Structures are given as structure tokens and as C-alpha cells.
């Protein structure tokens, strides 16, 4: 962890931290996620849906995963020392499977971060209220053939001008998604 990590984050909008979670913790998370899907990891014929959402899990390995020394060091570098709150759960998991049908949530988007009082949808604004970082945990190897989550390198540089007109009120993913997709279409 050093200045290079910070520079990559600022340039690309993300960093990959290999081995940030102890192997036994990652294996425990993967086993539990497979169990939650009801699918057999060794039998692709059981993978009937293109995506299965598993609700927030906060026990055992899911509390340990975001609290490794390597991740805490990265958080301090990227956000500022002690300017973040520890997590003891990992939120919801969209578990993606190779499938002939496109899932209904596969479009380009940004992750939202707050829900205004009385709203039914999540919002984002230019200040990224309530969020400093978005963590994506991979508890198994993922290749192009495994229905991976895709990230447009550098797209974080396109998003502020989309969010700015909405001010502090922000906007929903439904409003922002198509604009962000168009603004970042030139990115690898």
C-alpha cells in the first residue's frame, strides 16, 4: 500500500487488492453464498438463473472480510486515517451466473448511496453522501466466462458532471443510469 495505490485509484476509479481477505475467510464466505443460492458449485446445470441476490449477511466470515488489516490500511490511504466507519456486514450480493438470458439488472449504472425521507428509491448526489468507497468482494476466481461485474476504467471522472445539476437532492439510479452509460461509453 503506497502512493501508487492512491494514484491508480484517482486515475482509474478503483483498485484491486489481491489477497486482502484471508483465504479461510474468503472460502467461508463462498461456501455460505453457494448454500444461500441452493445451487451446486460443481454442477452448472443447477445454475438456473442469471443472477441470484443474497441479502446482507453479517455473521462470521462476512463480519471478518471487510476488517482485514490490508483493507483498513487501504481505507486509511484512500479516504483518510479514521475518516471511515468499520463495516461488519457486506450488504447484498448479486451472484452472477453464465446464462443464455440477460439478467434484468445488467445495465451500466452507478451505485447509489442514500434514501431521502419518504423516498422509495436510493439516490446519489455529487457529494456521495453517506459513502466514501464501494467495496466489491470476489470470493472466487472470476473470468470473462463467469458473468463478471464490469467497470469502465476512469468512468468516475465522467459522473460528477452528470450529478452536479441535481445538487444536494441528487437523483435515482433510474434517472442517472442512462446518462452515466452514455457519458462513459468511450471508456474501456
Amino acid at each position: 500500500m503506497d502512493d501508487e495505490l492512491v494514484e491508480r485509484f484517482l486515475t482509474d476509479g478503483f483498485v484491486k487488492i489481491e489477497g486482502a481477505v484471508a483465504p479461510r475467510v474468503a472460502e467461508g464466505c463462498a461456501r455460505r453464498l453457494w448454500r444461500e443460492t441452493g445451487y451446486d458449485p460443481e454442477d452448472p446445470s443447477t445454475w438456473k438463473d442469471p443472477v441470484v441476490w443474497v441479502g446482507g449477511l453479517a455473521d462470521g466470515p462476512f463480519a471478518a472480510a471487510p476488517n482485514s488489516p490490508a483493507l483498513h490500511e487501504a481505507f486509511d490511504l484512500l479516504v483518510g486515517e479514521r475518516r471511515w466507519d468499520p463495516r461488519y456486514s457486506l450488504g447484498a450480493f448479486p451472484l452472477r451466473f453464465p446464462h443464455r438470458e440477460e439478467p434484468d439488472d445488467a445495465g451500466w449504472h452507478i451505485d447509489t448511496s442514500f434514501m431521502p425521507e419518504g423516498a422509495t428509491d436510493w439516490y446519489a448526489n455529487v457529494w456521495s453522501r453517506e459513502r466514501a468507497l464501494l467495496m466489491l468482494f470476489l470470493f472466487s476466481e472470476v473470468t470473462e466466462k463467469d458473468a463478471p461485474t464490469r467497470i469502465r476504467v476512469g468512468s468516475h471522472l465522467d459522473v460528477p458532471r452528470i450529478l452536479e445539476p441535481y445538487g444536494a437532492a441528487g437523483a435515482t439510479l433510474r434517472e442517472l443510469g442512462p446518462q452515466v452509460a452514455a457519458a462513459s461509453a468511450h471508456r474501456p
Side-chain angles (χ1 to χ4, degrees):
M1 305 285 177
D2 57 14
D3 291 341
E4 183 182 327
L5 176 113
V6 174
E7 187 59 37
R8 278 198 334 259
F9 182 74
L10 293 173
T11 302
D12 296 342
F14 66 94
V15 290
K16 179 180 178 183
I17 303 173
E18 293 274 354
V21 176
R24 68 177 175 71
V25 172
E27 290 164 9
C29 290
R31 271 194 310 278
R32 173 73 185 278
L33 289 168
W34 276 110
R35 194 166 54 247
E36 292 291 323
T37 67
Y39 296 175
D40 181 345
E42 304 300 322
D43 183 3
S45 71
T46 65
W47 307 349
K48 58 185 181 242
D49 298 305
V51 65
V52 174
W53 282 84
V54 174
L57 301 172
D59 58 333
F62 295 98
N67 289 296
S68 73
L71 287 178
H72 284 194
E73 183 181 348
F75 301 162
D76 282 344
L77 280 170
L78 298 173
V79 177
E81 195 168 334
R82 290 188 280 268
R83 293 191 63 216
W84 51 273
D85 293 326
R87 292 284 312 248
Y88 297 99
S89 69
L90 296 179
F93 286 88
L95 305 174
R96 301 188 179 284
F97 297 88
H99 202 274
R100 67 185 168 281
E101 294 174 27
E102 190 73 12
D104 63 0
D105 67 347
W108 291 104
H109 70 280
I110 63 170
D111 282 275
T112 51
S113 61
F114 68 98
M115 187 178 294
E117 190 172 327
T120 56
D121 286 324
W122 287 86
Y123 283 62
N125 67 24
V126 75
W127 296 280
S128 196
R129 191 171 113 192
E130 307 284 327
R131 168 150 313 153
L133 299 170
L134 171 67
M135 298 181 288
L136 298 175
F137 283 80
L138 302 177
F139 295 123
S140 63
E141 292 300 318
V142 177
T143 70
E144 286 288 322
K145 295 178 182 177
D146 297 317
T149 295
R150 301 170 297 164
I151 300 172
R152 286 185 171 162
V153 180
S155 61
H156 67 296
L157 301 171
D158 304 316
V159 173
R161 75 171 180 269
I162 302 296
L163 293 173
E164 198 273 330
Y166 294 98
T172 67
L173 175 59
R174 283 179 190 43
E175 295 169 278
L176 298 170
Q179 295 176 68
V180 168
S184 64
H186 67 287
R187 302 281 182 182

